[in-house]
């Protein structure tokens, strides 16, 4: 379970495009409500004993507040996200922040939704693919993050990122929605 988190503020959070079934340009977030919710989430993480780092948002990056999509990080290395075109402007800001802290940043050669689709679970890395993460990222993540990867094909656009359906609750404990991944054998790939 992550004990160190990166957050960005809601100052520029808005809906400028529609890249998932929950985004609608005609339904803009209320700035005060978004900021209050964000403060409450950060406070909850701090109260739980987690370390929270901060990266200021950038005006032309309205989804930068969703920092999990920036990269998957482990062992002093980060595999940078390769998001939909609308969000690609965010990645240089996250790369600079990571490398400024001595973390080696590796480019993703295929579409990859960062920690939105790559959840550490003990020695395993649960990786969602099929919507925003290309299946070819599985061996890349295993090699670069030196973890055994457990692939989970997401069931459709409703589950565009694995973290919408799977949550690491604690050591050895997951919460998940079975309908979010397609049935079938799971074949792990090692580092």
């Amino acid at each position: 379970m992550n004990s160190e988190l990166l957050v960005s503020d809601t100052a520029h959070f808005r809906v400028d495009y529609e890249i998932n079934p929950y985004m609608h340009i005609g339904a803009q977030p209320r700035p005060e409500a978004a900021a209050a919710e964000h403060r409450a989430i950060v406070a909850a993480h701090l109260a739980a004993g987690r370390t929270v780092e901060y990266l200021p948002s950038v005006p032309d990056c309205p989804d930068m507040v969703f920092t999990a999509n920036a990269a998957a990080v482990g062992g002093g290395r980060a595999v940078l996200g390769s998001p939909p075109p609308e969000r690609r402007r965010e990645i240089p800001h996250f790369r600079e922040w990571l490398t400024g802290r001595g973390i080696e940043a590796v480019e993703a050669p295929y579409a990859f939704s960062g920690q939105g689709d790559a959840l550490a679970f003990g020695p395993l890395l649960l990786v969602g693919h099929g919507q925003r993460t290309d299946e070819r990222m599985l061996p890349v993540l295993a090699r670069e993050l030196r973890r055994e990867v457990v692939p989970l094909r997401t069931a459709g656009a409703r589950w565009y990122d694995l973290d919408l359906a799977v949550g690491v609750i604690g050591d050895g404990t997951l919460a998940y929605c079975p309908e979010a991944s397609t049935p079938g054998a799971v074949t792990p790939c090692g580092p």
Side-chain angles (χ1 to χ4, degrees):
M1 181 168 218
N2 290 335
S3 61
E4 298 177 28
L5 307 168
L6 174 62
V7 300
S8 188
D9 58 72
T10 62
H12 305 290
F13 177 50
R14 62 193 179 276
V15 181
D16 286 356
Y17 40 77
E18 297 178 9
I19 57 174
N20 68 56
Y22 308 106
M23 295 177 80
H24 304 286
I25 293 172
Q28 292 295 320
R30 291 188 351 257
E32 323 74 46
E37 182 177 321
H38 188 268
R39 283 190 302 274
I41 291 169
V42 170
H45 282 297
L46 291 170
R50 296 183 184 100
T51 301
V52 176
E53 297 274 346
Y54 175 74
L55 174 63
S57 66
V58 177
D60 65 344
C61 297
D63 277 343
M64 197 166 170
V65 70
F66 299 108
T67 56
N69 302 119
V73 182
R77 178 175 270 183
V79 177
L80 295 167
S82 181
E86 296 85 350
R87 292 192 64 188
R88 289 194 185 135
R89 289 185 302 265
E90 300 169 19
I91 300 304
H93 302 286
F94 289 114
R95 179 189 305 108
E96 181 180 348
W97 188 91
L98 290 160
T99 58
R101 278 141 187 86
I103 297 170
E104 180 185 358
V106 177
E107 298 289 331
Y110 310 106
F112 176 51
S113 199
Q115 192 175 309
D117 265 342
L119 304 175
F121 182 56
L124 305 175
L125 188 64
L126 308 178
V127 179
H129 64 92
Q131 305 305 309
R132 286 206 183 158
T133 293
D134 189 301
E135 186 173 17
R136 294 174 291 178
M137 280 301 297
L138 299 171
V140 173
L141 292 166
R143 181 183 67 246
E144 297 296 341
L145 297 177
R146 298 176 186 93
R147 288 179 162 265
E148 182 176 0
V149 167
V150 178
L152 300 165
R153 178 174 282 284
T154 51
R158 179 177 175 197
W159 310 106
Y160 63 88
D161 273 354
L162 187 65
D163 66 1
L164 293 171
V166 177
V168 177
I169 304 300
D171 293 337
T173 306
L174 287 174
Y176 68 96
C177 176
E179 297 84 31
S181 62
T182 59
V186 173
T187 307
C189 54

